[in-house]
């Protein structure tokens, strides 16, 4: 039996679950423990099939709209980590649904910023990707027309506001740092008085994962991002790897997704995971490579993370004791 070829694995750190994702998953699991099944969840709690399937097995029922939830249910209804338009909690209240908001606090921060700008009479730009649930949620915080979406640098060059001296911008939390910096620079060049966030809206987890990929991508033959195709932060990691010169940069939800023909002649492999991807799948993919190669593993770190977001108040231990 011939010896397996060597393969250097470079793990990006940090990778995988962020504090907002942990809080969202824990919200569903805690609700299931406290109230029993079913627990309804509007939209995927986070963009990861493995996570969603695991919660389904425990008794979570995922719906796209509240209209899919039976009338007169007493079961909890959880809003996903991406945030929802204001109309959704209002609809839940009108139906007397018991709702739990698992929106990431960093997304809520963007909602608050947009509301303050609106209150001050500013025209608001939202830098983000149309139809992403986070963007839908942020647009839905304010009346129709109050926020204009900017998706590309070209949009930033051509946007024609009503009053160039009374503007503000906010951003989706899971964007490419570099793409967003380019758009913001264009807006500031065209509109020097535009108001931006005191602290940038792109969240710490998105930033840190992209910085780790920037370190690893130039020094490996290939890089795998563990994540779902509809996960914005995962797609941005793949794009960052490509931009940094990595010739093979792919997204994989599970080991079964790997096209082994593309990974036949590599000597080094970077692995990272989007903020909604569990570490167990990183391990699954490493096991798949270990069947074909002798692995030599090292970790490259870009930042330390110790953020923690508490559960919604009604799910905390002190609430259960009342």
């Amino acid at each position: 039996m011939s010896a397996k070829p060597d393969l250097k694995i470079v793990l990006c750190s940090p990778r995988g679950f962020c504090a907002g994702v942990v809080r969202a998953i824990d919200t569903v699991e805690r609700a299931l423990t406290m109230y029993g099944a079913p627990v309804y969840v509007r939209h995927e709690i986070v963009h990861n099939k493995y996570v969603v399937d695991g919660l389904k097995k425990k008794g979570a029922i995922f719906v796209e709209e509240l209209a899919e939830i039976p009338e007169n249910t007493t079961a909890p209804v959880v809003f996903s980590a991406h945030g929802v338009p204001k109309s959704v909690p209002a609809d839940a209240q009108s139906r007397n649904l018991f709702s739990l908001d698992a929106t990431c606090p960093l997304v809520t921060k963007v909602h608050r910023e947009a509301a303050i700008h609106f209150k001050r009479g500013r025209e608001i730009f939202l830098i983000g990707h149309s139809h992403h649930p986070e963007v839908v949620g942020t647009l839905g915080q304010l009346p129709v027309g109050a926020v204009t979406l900017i998706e590309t640098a070209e949009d930033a060059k051509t946007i024609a506001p009503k009053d160039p001296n009374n503007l503000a911008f906010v951003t989706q939390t899971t964007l490419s740092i570099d793409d967003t910096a380019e758009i913001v620079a264009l807006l500031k060049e065209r509109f020097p008085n535009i108001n931006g966030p005191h602290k940038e809206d792109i969240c710490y987890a998105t930033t840190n994962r992209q910085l780790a990929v920037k370190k690893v991508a130039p020094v490996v033959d290939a890089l795998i991002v563990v994540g779902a195709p509809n996960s914005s932060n995962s797609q941005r990691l793949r794009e960052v790897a490509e931009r940094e010169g990595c010739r093979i940069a792919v997204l994989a939800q599970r080991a079964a997704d790997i096209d082994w023909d593309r990974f036949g002649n590599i000597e080094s492999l970077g692995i990272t995971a989007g903020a909604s991807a569990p570490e167990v799948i990183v391990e699954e993919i490493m096991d798949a490579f270990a069947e074909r190669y002798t692995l030599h593993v090292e970790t490259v770190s870009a930042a330390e993370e110790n953020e923690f977001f508490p559960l919604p108040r009604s799910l905390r231990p002190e609430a259960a004791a009342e």
Side-chain angles (χ1 to χ4, degrees):
M1 186 176 173
S2 58
K4 290 187 285 190
D6 290 327
L7 178 66
K8 182 167 89 168
I9 298 265
V10 185
L11 292 172
C12 296
S13 177
R15 64 181 178 276
F17 283 175
C18 62
V21 164
V22 170
R23 177 181 184 269
I25 295 168
D26 285 353
T27 295
V28 179
E29 293 190 330
R30 178 76 175 149
L32 283 164
T33 300
M34 287 177 69
Y35 301 103
V39 168
Y40 291 95
V41 186
R42 186 188 178 277
H43 191 67
E44 291 184 344
I45 187 70
V46 295
H47 284 156
N48 186 273
K49 185 176 185 301
Y50 181 92
V51 171
V52 168
D53 287 348
L55 292 171
K56 281 180 181 174
K57 287 175 185 167
K58 294 176 181 178
I61 296 174
F62 289 84
V63 298
E64 281 306 304
E65 299 299 340
L66 296 186
E68 299 168 51
I69 297 171
E71 293 294 334
N72 302 319
T73 183
T74 57
V77 179
V78 179
F79 304 146
S80 81
H82 312 98
V84 294
K86 271 192 171 176
S87 58
V88 174
D91 183 19
Q93 188 172 8
S94 72
R95 290 183 53 191
N96 291 319
L97 295 173
F98 170 38
S99 62
L100 297 164
D101 190 357
T103 301
C104 173
L106 299 179
V107 174
T108 302
K109 166 185 168 283
V110 176
H111 292 179
R112 287 187 183 133
E113 286 169 354
I116 290 167
H117 291 312
F118 180 71
K119 197 172 178 181
R120 291 176 179 167
R122 294 169 182 150
E123 190 176 342
I124 303 162
F125 298 149
L126 168 59
I127 302 169
H129 299 295
S130 66
H131 307 303
H132 187 279
E134 183 187 326
V135 166
V136 172
T138 301
L139 290 171
Q141 298 303 304
L142 297 171
V144 174
V147 183
T148 303
L149 185 63
I150 293 182
E151 295 194 77
T152 64
E154 191 57 35
D155 290 344
K157 290 174 188 172
T158 56
I159 193 89
K162 299 182 195 74
D163 182 355
N165 290 310
N166 195 25
L167 300 173
F169 73 89
V170 294
T171 83
Q172 186 180 334
T173 63
T174 54
L175 299 177
S176 157
I177 307 166
D178 295 333
D179 289 346
T180 307
E182 180 189 5
I183 291 171
V184 169
L186 286 165
L187 290 175
K188 286 182 174 178
E189 185 182 336
R190 290 190 63 205
F191 313 113
N193 295 328
I194 194 167
N195 291 274
H198 295 300
K199 185 176 184 296
E200 67 176 354
D201 291 335
I202 295 177
C203 81
Y204 77 91
T206 299
T207 301
N208 291 346
R209 281 150 189 72
Q210 289 181 24
L211 291 175
V213 167
K214 283 185 174 185
K215 281 187 167 188
V216 171
V219 299
V220 292
D221 298 328
L223 187 137
I224 291 175
V225 178
V226 179
N230 61 338
S231 165
S232 174
N233 76 86
S234 300
Q235 288 285 13
R236 303 297 81 77
L237 291 174
R238 181 185 56 77
E239 291 169 3
V240 168
E242 287 177 343
R243 189 176 292 167
E244 294 298 317
C246 188
R247 61 187 178 86
I248 303 171
V250 301
L251 204 61
Q253 295 197 79
R254 302 295 299 269
D257 296 341
I258 296 168
D259 177 358
W260 292 104
D261 290 340
R262 296 190 71 188
F263 292 89
N265 297 308
I266 61 170
E267 295 180 358
S268 57
L269 172 70
I271 301 179
T272 189
S276 48
E279 184 66 11
V280 66
I281 303 180
V282 173
E283 292 166 5
E284 176 186 285
I285 286 172
M286 288 179 66
D287 287 345
F289 276 93
E291 290 175 9
R292 295 163 173 82
Y293 294 92
T294 298
L295 303 188
H296 306 274
V297 182
E298 63 180 70
T299 298
V300 169
S301 180
E304 289 290 321
E305 287 184 356
N306 51 19
E307 280 75 10
F308 169 77
F309 298 140
L311 289 173
R313 196 171 300 280
S314 57
L315 295 180
R316 294 177 200 170
E318 59 269 27
E322 287 174 4

